[in-house]
């Protein structure tokens, strides 16, 4: 049932590799190409009614993937922070999955666990913490990292909760995040038992950065009614427009309030990896914990996030449980640090990519993506589009001031659809907290080039002229 002879396996590997190579082709359509009937047939073909030849099943899967999704690895995908997987990450993912190391405890997989520990320390160091106190864990992504950080914050600020649960909360625990912060913050607060009422949404300035005086006021009001500021979340790179909250000032406010400071740098944290961009995230080192997503920023397949912290004892306070059957280690074991128990080798593809490129090579790739973002902004401006915000990150939010309805949802959706249909670029319309809308394009692919960016602008100009 689970295995084939070697010749069959080799043939399957070869076919799979050729499908992977085909997936790199820039000539593919950007959106779904399968009609409803074909899609249904491919899905139904996998329902196991009858046993099938493995080569046939493989072709079904490959056709479904090639035609049944937005092609996030396409060099003209300027969409929602999905990075194109780098080749080294793909190859090592496959290798690692075959060995299937169990990273719950170090004793079971010392190589894979130590590789992850070093990565966590290295990233912590790059964000500005002393190497020795940098720790954390790999997560499925930013949403899980934020949930882990919320649990750590509650454990840190309300130590009695570990025993007493919500009934032991002292005061009224409050979470603060900007109106442009990610919705996973409110969700983490809600499923941690703090409820929607436990979240204060802080207004933003014209650049979509958290207004620090408003944060200070909200915290002051909460304290004067006896509530307990527990978690302040600052964002480095809001999803809609790449805004960076004023980290140092927020850190001062959080510190004075005795709250845990979490920085959501899911994508924007890439600025810390490019030396001349690092100043944009100065102050991030004052965070107790940081979300960073290698699957958004560094060309690692989905399912690779990180929660970094300089307070690993808070992870232990939130997550540690004894298990009689687990081998005992000296350090805090990976299973005792977060939500997952059994753990996949998420760090190995990332380590292989960094080892192949070198940190300097990583910076070079990110630098090129940043330069492409600048080019996109400049070309859009030249073409008469209006950039809504400035950011050092390669994301642009823009409208069309040459028309009265140039910031209207229907018009902007039309432009996005035209660019996708043209094969010129997958972009989308985003809606800000104030209700305004903008087209949003973002560079996350190491294969995108100037010609790709220029094609998008040309197509948008054409679509605008057509609808004039
Ligand atoms: C994408 C994103 C998240 C959620 O991360 P996932 O990896 O999708 O779970 C959180 N915060 C920000 C700022 C993001 O851009």
């Amino acid at each position: 049932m689970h295995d084939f002879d070697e010749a069959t396996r080799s043939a399957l590997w070869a076919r799979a590799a050729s499908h992977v190579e085909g997936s790199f082709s820039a000539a593919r359509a950007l959106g779904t190409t399968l009609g409803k009937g074909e899609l249904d047939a491919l899905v139904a073909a996998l329902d196991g009614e009858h046993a099938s030849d493995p080569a046939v099943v493989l072709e079904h899967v490959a056709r479904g993937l090639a035609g049944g999704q937005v092609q996030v690895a396409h060099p003209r995908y300027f969409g929602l922070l999905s990075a194109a997987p780098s080749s080294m990450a793909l190859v090592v993912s496959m290798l690692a999955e075959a060995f299937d190391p169990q990273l719950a405890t170090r004793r079971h997989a010392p190589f894979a666990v130590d590789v992850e520990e070093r990565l966590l320390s290295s990233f912590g160091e790059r964000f500005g913490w002393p190497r020795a106190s940098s720790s954390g864990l790999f997560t499925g992504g930013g949403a899980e990292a934020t949930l882990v950080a919320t649990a750590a914050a509650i454990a840190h600020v309300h130590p009695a909760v570990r025993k007493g649960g919500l009934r032991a909360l002292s005061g009224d625990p409050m979470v603060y995040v900007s109106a442009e912060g990610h919705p996973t913050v409110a969700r983490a607060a809600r499923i941690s038992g703090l409820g929607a009422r436990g979240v204060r949404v802080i207004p933003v300035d014209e650049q979509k950065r958290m207004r620090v005086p408003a944060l200070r006021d909200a915290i002051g009001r909460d304290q004067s009614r006896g509530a307990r500021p527990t978690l302040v979340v600052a964002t480095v790179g809001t999803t809609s427009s790449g805004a960076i909250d004023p980290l140092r000032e927020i850190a001062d406010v959080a510190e004075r309030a005795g709250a845990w400071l979490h920085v959501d740098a899911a994508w924007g944290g890439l600025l810390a990896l490019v030396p001349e961009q690092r100043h944009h995230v100065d102050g991030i080192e004052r965070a107790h914990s940081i979300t960073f997503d290698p699957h958004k920023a560094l060309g690692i397949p989905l399912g690779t996030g990180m929660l970094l912290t300089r307070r690993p004892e808070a992870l232990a306070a939130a997550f540690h449980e004894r298990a009689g059957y687990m081998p005992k280690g000296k350090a805090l074991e990976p299973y005792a640090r977060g939500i997952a128990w059994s753990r996949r080798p998420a760090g190995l593809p990332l380590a292989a990519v960094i080892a192949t490129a070198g940190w300097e090579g990583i910076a070079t790739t990110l630098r090129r993506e940043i330069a492409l973002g600048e080019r996109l902004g400049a070309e859009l401006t030249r073409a008469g589009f209006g950039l809504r915000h400035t950011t050092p990150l390669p994301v642009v939010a823009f409208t069309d001031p040459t028309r009265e309805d140039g910031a209207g949802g229907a018009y902007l959706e039309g432009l996005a659809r035209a660019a996708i249909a043209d094969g010129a670029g997958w972009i989308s319309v985003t809606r800000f907290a104030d209700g305004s809308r903008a087209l949003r394009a973002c560079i996350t692919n190491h294969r995108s080039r100037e010609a790709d960016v220029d094609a998008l602008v040309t197509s948008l100009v054409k679509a605008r002229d057509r609808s004039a």
Side-chain angles (χ1 to χ4, degrees), residues 80-81 139-146 180-185 187 233-240 243 262 264-268 291-296 302-306 440:
L80 302 174
L81 299 176
T139 63
E144 183 187 335
T146 300
E180 292 293 332
H182 202 272
T184 48
V185 174
R187 189 173 67 181
V233 179
T235 308
V236 165
T238 56
T239 316
S240 284
H262 177 71
D264 181 356
W267 177 58
T291 289
F292 181 64
D293 267 352
H295 70 206
K296 287 180 171 172
L302 282 174
T304 310
M306 287 172 142
R440 175 189 177 285

Side-chain angles (χ1 to χ4, degrees), residues 26 72-79 82 84 365 368-369 372-373 442-453:
V72 294
H74 195 291
R76 294 184 177 177
Y77 176 76
F78 303 119
S82 262
T365 300
R368 194 171 58 220
E369 291 177 10
L372 280 182
C442 171
I443 317 284
T444 51
N445 188 333
H446 56 278
R447 291 193 196 92
S448 300
R449 292 292 177 270
E450 294 182 348
D452 299 311
V453 161

Side-chain angles (χ1 to χ4, degrees), residues 243-294:
I244 300 172
D245 287 340
L247 298 176
R248 284 214 190 89
E249 294 167 57
I250 292 174
D252 287 343
V253 176
E255 195 172 291
R256 226 171 297 125
W260 180 280
L261 175 62
H262 177 71
V263 174
D264 181 356
W267 177 58
L270 66 88
L271 293 170
L273 308 182
V274 185
E276 71 275 17
Q277 302 286 343
R278 154 79 213 196
H279 66 278
H280 292 295
V281 298
D282 279 355
I284 197 170
E285 67 283 352
R286 292 181 59 189
H288 295 88
S289 58
I290 297 171
T291 289
F292 181 64
D293 267 352

Side-chain angles (χ1 to χ4, degrees), residues 3 16 102 106 144 156 179 192 216 226 230 235 247 253 256 275 289 312 333 344 356 391 395 454:
D3 219 346
Q102 165 60 284
R106 186 178 177 282
E144 183 187 335
H156 177 77
S192 300
R216 205 176 289 126
T230 297
T235 308
L247 298 176
V253 176
R256 226 171 297 125
S289 58
E333 293 277 19
R344 56 184 287 273
T356 307
T391 170
V395 57
D454 296 351

Side-chain angles (χ1 to χ4, degrees), residues 276-415:
E276 71 275 17
Q277 302 286 343
R278 154 79 213 196
H279 66 278
H280 292 295
V281 298
D282 279 355
I284 197 170
E285 67 283 352
R286 292 181 59 189
H288 295 88
S289 58
I290 297 171
T291 289
F292 181 64
D293 267 352
H295 70 206
K296 287 180 171 172
L298 297 178
I300 311 301
L302 282 174
T304 310
M306 287 172 142
L307 182 278
L308 302 165
T309 185
R310 59 184 169 91
R311 293 294 180 83
E313 72 280 1
L315 296 183
F319 291 102
H320 182 58
E321 292 291 341
R322 247 180 258 293
Y325 65 87
M326 295 296 270
K328 256 219 209 61
K330 275 204 271 325
L332 184 64
E333 293 277 19
Y335 78 87
R337 274 185 240 167
I339 294 163
W341 194 278
S342 294
R343 308 186 69 88
R344 56 184 287 273
L348 284 177
L350 174 61
V353 167
I354 294 172
T356 307
W359 288 96
E360 186 44 46
I362 299 284
T364 303
T365 300
L366 294 171
R367 214 171 260 137
R368 194 171 58 220
E369 291 177 10
I370 290 168
L372 280 182
E374 281 166 9
R375 181 185 182 96
L376 179 56
E379 292 298 319
L380 285 168
T381 307
R382 199 199 315 269
F385 290 98
L387 304 192
R388 289 283 308 273
H389 309 293
T390 55
T391 170
L393 286 160
V395 57
V396 288
F398 58 100
T399 54
D400 183 0
T402 68
R403 293 171 53 116
E404 211 162 291
D405 64 345
Y411 173 66
L412 296 175
E413 285 289 353
L415 290 190

Side-chain angles (χ1 to χ4, degrees), residues 40-294:
D40 288 349
L42 283 172
V43 172
L46 295 175
D47 70 5
E49 265 322 297
H50 311 283
S52 300
D53 184 79
V56 173
V57 173
L58 184 66
E59 295 313 306
H60 278 134
V61 174
R63 265 170 53 211
L65 291 170
Q69 65 174 66
V70 173
Q71 297 300 324
V72 294
H74 195 291
R76 294 184 177 177
Y77 176 76
F78 303 119
L80 302 174
L81 299 176
S82 262
S86 84
S87 300
M88 199 60 190
L90 291 178
V91 172
V92 171
S93 292
M94 183 272 284
L95 183 66
E97 302 286 344
F99 279 85
D100 209 18
Q102 165 60 284
L103 278 72
T105 73
R106 186 178 177 282
R107 265 214 228 157
H108 235 72
F111 170 67
V113 168
D114 285 357
V115 166
E116 290 201 348
E117 301 295 10
R118 274 180 91 104
L119 281 172
L120 293 162
S121 304
S122 295
F123 275 88
E125 200 174 24
R126 268 153 218 281
F127 282 113
W129 296 331
R131 193 172 176 92
S133 55
S134 300
S135 177
L137 74 161
F138 277 80
T139 63
E144 183 187 335
T146 300
L147 183 56
V148 169
T150 304
I154 294 170
H156 177 77
V157 179
H158 308 268
V161 163
R162 181 168 168 99
K163 236 196 177 129
L166 296 180
R167 61 185 77 73
L169 281 169
S170 48
D172 180 1
M174 299 300 296
V175 175
Y176 306 83
V177 63
S178 93
E180 292 293 332
H182 202 272
T184 48
V185 174
R187 189 173 67 181
R190 193 161 49 68
I191 64 185
S192 300
L194 308 188
R197 265 173 47 202
V199 180
R200 291 259 181 265
V201 177
I202 309 300
V204 292
D205 65 13
E206 74 292 341
Q207 289 291 340
K208 308 296 184 201
R209 295 171 300 210
M210 183 190 282
R211 285 184 192 274
V212 180
L215 172 69
R216 205 176 289 126
D217 290 352
I219 286 182
R221 276 197 307 275
D222 283 335
Q223 282 175 321
S224 61
R225 67 177 178 84
R228 185 79 168 85
T230 297
L231 169 65
V232 175
V233 179
T235 308
V236 165
T238 56
T239 316
S240 284
S241 66
I244 300 172
D245 287 340
L247 298 176
R248 284 214 190 89
E249 294 167 57
I250 292 174
D252 287 343
V253 176
E255 195 172 291
R256 226 171 297 125
W260 180 280
L261 175 62
H262 177 71
V263 174
D264 181 356
W267 177 58
L270 66 88
L271 293 170
L273 308 182
V274 185
E276 71 275 17
Q277 302 286 343
R278 154 79 213 196
H279 66 278
H280 292 295
V281 298
D282 279 355
I284 197 170
E285 67 283 352
R286 292 181 59 189
H288 295 88
S289 58
I290 297 171
T291 289
F292 181 64
D293 267 352

